[in-house]
Amino acid sequence: MTFGDQGMPYGGADPYTQWVVEQERMRRRRRTRRAVAAGTGVVLVAAITTGAVLYTDGGRGGAAAAAPSSPAASAAPVPSVTVSMPSDAPSALPSLLARPVIRPEQAFPAKSVRPADGSRYERVDLATTSDCSEGTAPELAALIAQGQGCERLTAALFTDAERRSQVTVTVLSFRTVQDASSVFAMASMDPVTYQVVSLDPPPEAGMPTVPPGSAGVFRRLMTVRSVVFANGQWGDGSEADEAAITKQTEDLLRYVDDDVLAYEDPDSA
């Protein structure tokens, strides 16, 4: 069994196989190109970014069931997504967008993390780049290229106290709210195709690389101008304890999302 979005298995084998292939390809690319950082909820779209989302699937069908299983399918047209600003968007939005995008040390300020329930997690890796395509699937990179662009991608790898889990939390920060909303919408509809890459543990962490084909949990939230992704897996590739890895993934997603939102909209804290 594979863990799917919202805690449900994906409908078929082909979409998940594609996800595995893309993860391995992007991992190889990341090993040679990634830039390592030098420095150390609930969906909020309704209050700030809920507009009209127009989705054209280009004949590919909807959600995970439409993910292609052959390499040639990767040349399929990228859907056109248009997001309009709501009429009741807060007046403070222009000043919020004028702030610099969140830096790695602001998104992930601590190596040791303790969410409200008392769980303990350790950050074992941190990477950042201004070329967001380095850490995204080609389809997501093409979607981002339709708009005004992603300003920064920062990802951190966390593990639990037993060092069993591997949860990558990724922050994609955009120049406009509309672009962030487009990415959030498409990743919510088709998390297999519009994905971010999971980090491999560095050698000094003493942790295994998750075996290819292992099950995973995928979640995302949106703040003001960023989309926060979380990919969770057991380090040994186990398909057991789905509820546990889901909880860890969601806990870390919300924890990071709170930090990102507090920076992007201080009045929300």
Side-chain angles (χ1 to χ4, degrees):
M1 182 185 74
T2 58
F3 303 162
D5 191 59
Q6 301 304 322
M8 297 295 292
Y10 287 123
D14 285 348
Y16 192 76
T17 299
Q18 185 204 20
W19 180 83
V20 171
V21 171
E22 286 298 325
Q23 285 283 311
E24 292 305 305
R25 185 187 64 76
M26 289 189 290
R27 279 173 170 165
R28 289 195 295 271
R29 182 175 64 174
R30 182 182 57 78
R31 290 190 187 106
T32 59
R33 296 180 61 193
R34 80 170 185 177
V36 179
T40 47
V42 240
V43 175
L44 300 169
V45 180
I48 297 175
T49 62
T50 302
V53 181
L54 306 179
Y55 168 49
T56 304
D57 68 3
R60 293 173 56 194
S69 57
S70 64
S74 61
V78 177
S80 176
V81 180
T82 302
V83 177
S84 62
M85 289 297 294
S87 58
D88 60 347
S91 58
L93 189 56
S95 63
L96 296 180
L97 294 176
R99 304 188 69 196
V101 295
I102 192 167
R103 299 191 303 272
E105 65 272 18
Q106 295 167 321
F108 302 101
K111 293 197 67 174
S112 296
V113 170
R114 293 192 67 178
D117 68 353
S119 302
R120 295 175 180 269
Y121 300 98
E122 178 187 355
R123 193 190 75 211
V124 296
D125 198 13
L126 182 65
T128 188
T129 178
S130 58
D131 182 359
C132 298
S133 65
E134 292 185 6
T136 61
E139 293 85 355
L140 181 52
L143 176 64
I144 293 170
Q146 291 181 1
Q148 296 187 36
C150 171
E151 290 204 85
R152 179 154 297 278
L153 179 152
T154 301
L157 176 63
F158 295 91
T159 188
D160 57 11
E162 291 75 29
R163 301 180 80 80
R164 257 190 88 203
S165 63
Q166 295 187 23
V167 180
T168 298
V169 183
T170 303
V171 179
L172 284 174
S173 297
F174 296 87
R175 292 184 173 87
T176 70
V177 172
Q178 292 92 327
D179 287 347
S181 296
S182 297
V183 167
F184 180 81
M186 291 305 298
S188 297
M189 286 190 285
D190 189 351
V192 176
T193 301
Y194 298 92
Q195 61 178 275
V196 296
V197 68
S198 296
L199 296 178
D200 290 333
E204 60 269 22
M207 297 164 57
T209 298
V210 178
S214 300
V217 175
F218 316 103
R219 298 289 188 273
R220 73 221 57 81
L221 290 171
M222 182 175 165
T223 57
V224 175
R225 66 191 299 174
S226 299
V227 182
V228 185
F229 293 81
N231 301 347
Q233 296 175 288
W234 296 121
D236 61 3
S238 172
E239 298 180 5
D241 299 331
E242 178 182 356
I245 191 63
T246 298
K247 180 182 183 300
Q248 291 193 28
T249 303
E250 293 179 347
D251 283 351
L252 286 164
L253 173 64
R254 293 189 185 99
Y255 185 91
V256 175
D257 184 77
D258 285 347
D259 282 342
V260 176
L261 180 61
Y263 171 79
E264 293 185 351
D265 184 6
D267 290 339
S268 68

